[in-house]
Amino acid sequence: MSVTISVIWLIVAFVLIAIGLVGSFLPVLPGPPISWAGLFVAFISKSSSLHLSTLIITAVLMIAVTIADYVFPPMMTSKSGGSKMGSLGATVGLIAGILLPIPILGVIICPFVGALLFEIIHDPKDFNRAFHAALGAFVGFLLGTGAKAIVCSVFAWILILNLAKNWF
C-alpha cells in the first residue's frame, strides 16, 4: 500500500474516532461502534501496527459499553421510582443542552432539567418523587454517556500511542 493511501486511511480512522467521540453525547450517533470502526480502518492500513488481539478486545469493550448504555438509564430511572418519561426527558434535555451557547454546561444540566420536567408532566402532584426520579434518570444517563465517552477516548489513545510507537 502506498504511503499516500496509508495516510488517507489514517485520516479516515481519526475522523471516525472523532465522530464516535461526538456520538458518545449525541443520541443519534452510535459513538463506540463508530470509534471502533476507526480502529478497524487503522488496523487494515499499513501505517499502524495494531494487533488483532487489540482489535478483538476493543470490540468486546465496545459491545459491552453499547449494551450498558441501553441498560443503565432505564435501570437507574426504575430504581429511583421514575417512568419512561424521565428517560425521555433526559434525552430531550441533552439535545436542548447541545444547542445552548454553552454546550458543556448544557450537556450536564439540561438532561437533569429535562428529566425533571418530564417527570413533573407525568405526575404533577408529587414533586419529591419527580425530583428523585429525575435524579435517577440523570445518573443513568451520566453512566451511559460517561462510559461511551471514556471508551471512545481510550480508542483514540490506543491509536495515537500505536502511531507514536511506529513513527517516533
Side-chain angles (χ1 to χ4, degrees), residues 88-168:
L88 177 62
T91 301
V92 170
L94 170 67
I95 293 168
I98 290 169
L99 300 175
L100 285 178
I102 319 167
I104 300 297
L105 189 60
V107 166
I108 294 170
I109 293 173
C110 289
F112 173 75
V113 172
L116 180 61
L117 290 175
F118 274 58
E119 283 294 343
I120 289 171
I121 290 169
H122 176 71
D123 184 7
K125 295 177 182 152
D126 192 355
F127 179 81
N128 197 28
R129 188 211 58 82
F131 180 81
H132 289 306
L135 194 57
F138 179 65
V139 168
F141 161 78
L142 284 181
L143 287 172
T145 301
K148 292 187 302 184
I150 288 168
V151 164
C152 291
S153 298
V154 167
F155 290 175
W157 190 244
I158 288 170
L159 183 58
I160 290 166
L161 287 178
N162 181 268
L163 293 176
K165 180 180 81 172
N166 290 341
W167 289 0
F168 300 108

Side-chain angles (χ1 to χ4, degrees), residues 18-157:
I19 291 171
L21 190 55
V22 170
S24 296
F25 299 96
L26 294 175
V28 295
L29 292 174
I34 293 172
S35 283
W36 185 84
L39 285 180
F40 181 76
V41 167
F43 174 75
I44 62 173
S45 85
K46 298 299 180 199
S47 296
S48 167
S49 64
L50 285 172
H51 295 273
L52 180 60
S53 60
T54 303
L55 208 59
I56 292 169
I57 291 168
T58 55
V60 169
L61 184 61
M62 176 267 300
I63 290 167
V65 137
T66 301
I67 290 170
D69 184 45
Y70 286 101
V71 171
F72 280 137
M75 180 180 73
M76 294 304 293
T77 301
S78 162
K79 282 187 179 286
S80 62
S83 66
K84 290 182 181 184
M85 289 291 285
S87 293
L88 177 62
T91 301
V92 170
L94 170 67
I95 293 168
I98 290 169
L99 300 175
L100 285 178
I102 319 167
I104 300 297
L105 189 60
V107 166
I108 294 170
I109 293 173
C110 289
F112 173 75
V113 172
L116 180 61
L117 290 175
F118 274 58
E119 283 294 343
I120 289 171
I121 290 169
H122 176 71
D123 184 7
K125 295 177 182 152
D126 192 355
F127 179 81
N128 197 28
R129 188 211 58 82
F131 180 81
H132 289 306
L135 194 57
F138 179 65
V139 168
F141 161 78
L142 284 181
L143 287 172
T145 301
K148 292 187 302 184
I150 288 168
V151 164
C152 291
S153 298
V154 167
F155 290 175
W157 190 244

